Amino acid sequence: GLGLSFKKDENFGEWYSEVVVNGEMIEYYDISGCYIIRPWAMSIWEIMQTFFDAEIKKMKIKNCYFPLFVSPGVLEKEKDHIEGFAPEVAWVTKSGQSDLEVPIAIRPTSETVMYPYYSKWIRGHRDLPLKLNQWCNVVRWEFSNPTPFIRSREFLWQEGHTAFATKSEADTEVLDILELYRRIYEEFMAVPVIKGKKSELEKFAGGLYTTTVEAFVPNSGRGIQGATSHCLGQNFSNMFDITFENEKGEKAKAWQNSWAYTTRTIGVMVMVHGDDKGLVLPPKVASVQVIVIPVPYKDADTQGIFDACNATVETLSEAGIRAEADFRDNYSPGWKYSHFEMKGVPLRIEIGPKDLANNQVRAVRRDSGAKIDLPRASLVEQVKEILDKIQESLFEAAKQRRDACIQTVKTWDEFVEALGQRKMILAPWCDEVEVEKDVKARTKGEMGAAKSLCSPMEQPEMSEGTICFASGKPAKKWTYWGRSY
Ligand SMILES: O=C1CCCN[C@@H]1CCCn1cnc2ccccc2c1=O
């Protein structure tokens, strides 16, 4: 029957797997780590894509499409780009009955697919900046526990790959894109994130530096990388000979960035906002923001109720609100209430005989359960107001829960205690790779080791003489640590 068999606060992993299926976002697939993305989730992806695509077009970034297949030569072009990732690369070795002469890799990311052509297309400084993006799927044959949206062997993303004449142009774009990622999480998904820089150990090895928006999942006490924007420096232009003749006629190497967000965003939103009745969708990303349910009564004016429902959907739709009605007569109103709560529709409108008589509707908020009677005369403004209120309160509630999980520490003992309490830990750190490796080694356990999540762009005051929580050396920067996905 309806309803979840797992409680979010008791069996988070099982709750999550059940809610994405019962909420009709995901269907499990017969190949491990692969999932079917159903319309209820695909529409969320499309709403974000519409926003992000419009924003990058304002930045004169153009969409393109490169092949899915990578020839082995270029993939292995540079060791420390591919090292560590190689086991995740999926290969095509046959077609039909016959083996391929040379196996072909399926793209896990597209640097090595695209950059030989960047080298060909970029000759002079007038060919710069070259700014391309592609919306596509990538495959990474991971073995750690697959989780719908969060960790899958194939996922959808956009990957931006840009080339500039100067470092400062690249540095600026890295942060412009990171701000778009913050907006995706905070303005659309209503999920608070922290903008920061990855440590040397956690950054993309092939790049110069990595910036990130870090989210946090209170129920698991784990941080999660929300999206990344890398400055690649001149590492790839050295590798792929992406050079240009600058204004002084000298040969110069391009400065490059690459940046991505993925379908993981949907999983983070589900984890943060979902409850024991099912999904809770922020109105900005809900393909149905208002569901209208007729509540006919045995001898009441059923046609009048149906007409009022149709008129309500019309009026709201004309005002740009995504509204639908459910007239199915093989389901009871009660069944429909539970069904659309499971799907996380932000606002339900019920119309029964009394509402009809009073020329009003009964609105019910999914996030708080609050019931509000709305006169039909001022319906549009009030529904818009309520939807905005839902969006805002989802963000505020998530921010409060996330902030309650942040612990600032100064010493190793405080760190270990906070980690045991599944916190996101802000600690003064000496920023040395060996020390980070040491923290990982000392916190290894069945829950997984702690790692650095990011050094926040907004650095709190660090008083003179502050020492690193893990090494006792002079601390250089405040850094967030924790277990992560
Ligand atoms: O994040 C981004 C943003 C979009 C473009 N790519 C960068 C860096 C990807 C890093 N990465 C991640 N997994 C991989 C898996 C197999 C082979 C290579 C890789 C790999 O290079």
Side-chain angles (χ1 to χ4, degrees):
L2 270 180
L4 296 169
S5 30
F6 294 106
K7 295 246 176 300
K8 185 181 183 184
D9 293 338
E10 288 162 21
N11 293 293
F12 183 59
E14 293 85 349
W15 168 86
Y16 177 75
S17 304
E18 196 183 15
V19 81
V20 293
V21 169
N22 287 26
E24 299 179 334
M25 284 191 161
I26 286 279
E27 187 66 62
Y28 277 75
Y29 189 60
D30 71 318
I31 296 172
S32 169
C34 298
Y35 307 96
I36 296 162
I37 301 178
R38 301 179 66 182
W40 195 242
M42 199 61 201
S43 56
I44 296 175
W45 182 247
E46 290 176 331
I47 287 170
M48 285 189 292
Q49 183 174 30
T50 302
F51 162 74
F52 189 80
D53 206 57
E55 287 301 318
I56 60 175
K57 281 186 166 67
K58 288 179 196 167
M59 297 166 69
K60 305 275 175 282
I61 294 162
K62 294 190 172 66
N63 282 329
C64 60
Y65 187 80
F66 280 76
L68 171 73
F69 303 109
V70 199
S71 44
V74 285
L75 192 77
E76 279 118 22
K77 186 116 187 167
E78 194 263 356
K79 284 296 152 255
D80 75 343
H81 162 238
I82 200 72
E83 139 249 330
F85 289 130
E88 296 175 5
V89 178
W91 293 87
V92 179
T93 59
K94 290 175 67 163
S95 81
Q97 292 307 310
S98 50
D99 293 342
L100 294 189
E101 275 297 295
V102 178
I104 294 170
I106 296 175
R107 68 177 167 229
T109 182
S110 300
E111 279 81 359
T112 57
V113 174
M114 299 168 78
Y115 296 170
Y117 301 91
Y118 278 39
S119 172
K120 180 180 178 188
W121 297 334
I122 297 169
R123 305 274 93 178
H125 63 86
R126 289 181 196 80
D127 301 321
L128 292 173
L130 175 61
K131 306 195 284 192
L132 301 181
N133 175 69
Q134 64 177 12
W135 294 92
C136 66
N137 64 331
V138 284
V139 173
R140 296 175 186 178
W141 215 255
E142 299 194 40
F143 290 89
S144 47
N145 53 324
T147 310
F149 299 120
I150 299 295
R151 195 179 299 106
S152 52
R153 286 176 159 169
E154 176 188 13
F155 55 86
L156 306 181
W157 75 352
Q158 55 64 221
E159 50 178 321
H161 295 270
T162 53
F164 301 91
T166 65
K167 182 177 188 299
S168 66
E169 287 169 287
D171 290 338
T172 301
E173 189 208 60
V174 164
L175 297 180
D176 291 346
I177 295 293
L178 194 69
E179 169 59 7
L180 292 181
Y181 292 152
R182 181 199 67 75
R183 292 184 62 194
I184 280 179
Y185 274 94
E186 299 200 338
E187 293 176 14
F188 284 83
M189 298 304 208
V191 170
V193 290
I194 294 167
K195 278 185 183 176
K197 207 172 161 193
K198 285 287 184 187
S199 69
E200 280 305 298
L201 191 64
E202 288 301 320
K203 77 173 189 183
F204 168 32
L208 181 61
Y209 63 84
T210 290
T211 67
T212 176
V213 283
E214 292 291 318
F216 190 76
V217 180
N219 279 77
S220 59
R222 289 174 184 274
I224 184 161
Q225 181 176 290
T228 46
S229 182
H230 312 285
C231 176
L232 306 178
Q234 297 172 306
N235 299 355
F236 283 87
S237 53
N238 281 316
M239 250 187 272
F240 288 90
D241 191 30
I242 303 174
T243 56
F244 65 100
E245 193 176 292
N246 64 18
E247 269 107 348
K248 287 174 266 169
E250 300 149 345
K251 226 167 119 137
K253 290 281 191 325
W255 289 87
Q256 292 177 270
N257 294 337
S258 75
W259 27 270
Y261 79 92
T262 76
T263 34
R264 164 179 280 195
T265 47
I266 301 170
V268 175
M269 181 271 291
V270 169
M271 288 183 162
V272 167
H273 298 307
D275 64 17
D276 289 339
K277 292 198 288 191
L279 300 172
V280 178
L281 301 188
K284 281 263 187 2
V285 296
S287 59
V288 176
Q289 296 169 314
V290 182
I291 185 73
V292 179
I293 311 283
V295 190
Y297 212 61
K298 48 183 183 299
D299 56 2
D301 169 9
T302 306
Q303 193 50 49
I305 287 172
F306 280 20
D307 294 348
C309 290
N310 271 317
T312 300
V313 170
E314 292 269 303
T315 309
L316 294 175
S317 305
E318 271 154 25
I321 295 164
R322 299 188 284 270
E324 286 184 9
D326 182 345
F327 292 110
R328 291 177 294 180
D329 60 5
N330 53 328
Y331 293 105
S332 69
W335 184 93
K336 294 175 187 178
Y337 298 167
S338 306
H339 176 69
F340 290 107
E341 283 166 359
M342 181 65 72
K343 289 185 68 99
V345 174
L347 191 64
R348 171 175 84 229
I349 281 183
E350 305 164 11
I351 301 182
K354 192 175 49 55
D355 308 305
L356 194 65
N358 300 345
N359 201 18
Q360 66 185 35
V361 302
R362 159 71 51 104
V364 184
R365 283 177 52 164
R366 173 65 182 87
D367 64 326
S368 65
K371 296 183 183 334
I372 319 140
D373 287 333
L374 303 176
R376 285 178 62 186
S378 57
L379 192 63
V380 169
E381 307 81 79
Q382 300 209 43
V383 166
K384 276 186 178 171
E385 220 172 274
I386 295 169
L387 291 174
D388 288 347
K389 191 86 193 75
I390 293 172
Q391 185 78 28
E392 184 201 327
S393 4
L394 284 175
F395 180 75
E396 285 312 316
K399 193 165 181 312
Q400 268 189 19
R401 275 197 310 275
R402 189 278 313 266
D403 290 349
C405 294
I406 293 178
Q407 184 88 40
T408 302
V409 305
K410 299 240 170 163
T411 68
W412 178 257
D413 290 350
E414 288 171 357
F415 178 84
V416 170
E417 187 186 3
L419 194 64
Q421 293 163 352
R422 299 174 163 215
K423 300 282 187 181
M424 179 149 90
I425 304 154
L426 185 60
W429 179 39
C430 60
D431 194 16
E432 293 187 12
V433 173
E434 285 318 308
V435 173
E436 176 161 9
K437 286 181 180 172
D438 186 44
V439 171
K440 282 187 156 179
R442 291 159 72 183
T443 56
K444 243 186 8 234
E446 85 290 343
M447 298 273 288
K451 58 166 51 169
S452 67
L453 302 170
C454 75
S455 293
M457 302 297 186
E458 290 171 20
Q459 282 285 308
E461 202 41 38
M462 184 174 282
S463 47
E464 197 51 35
T466 304
I467 61 165
C468 170
F469 77 100
S471 69
K473 295 177 181 177
K476 289 230 184 67
K477 46 176 74 166
W478 286 97
T479 303
Y480 281 102
W481 298 75
R483 292 192 184 86
S484 78
Y485 281 90

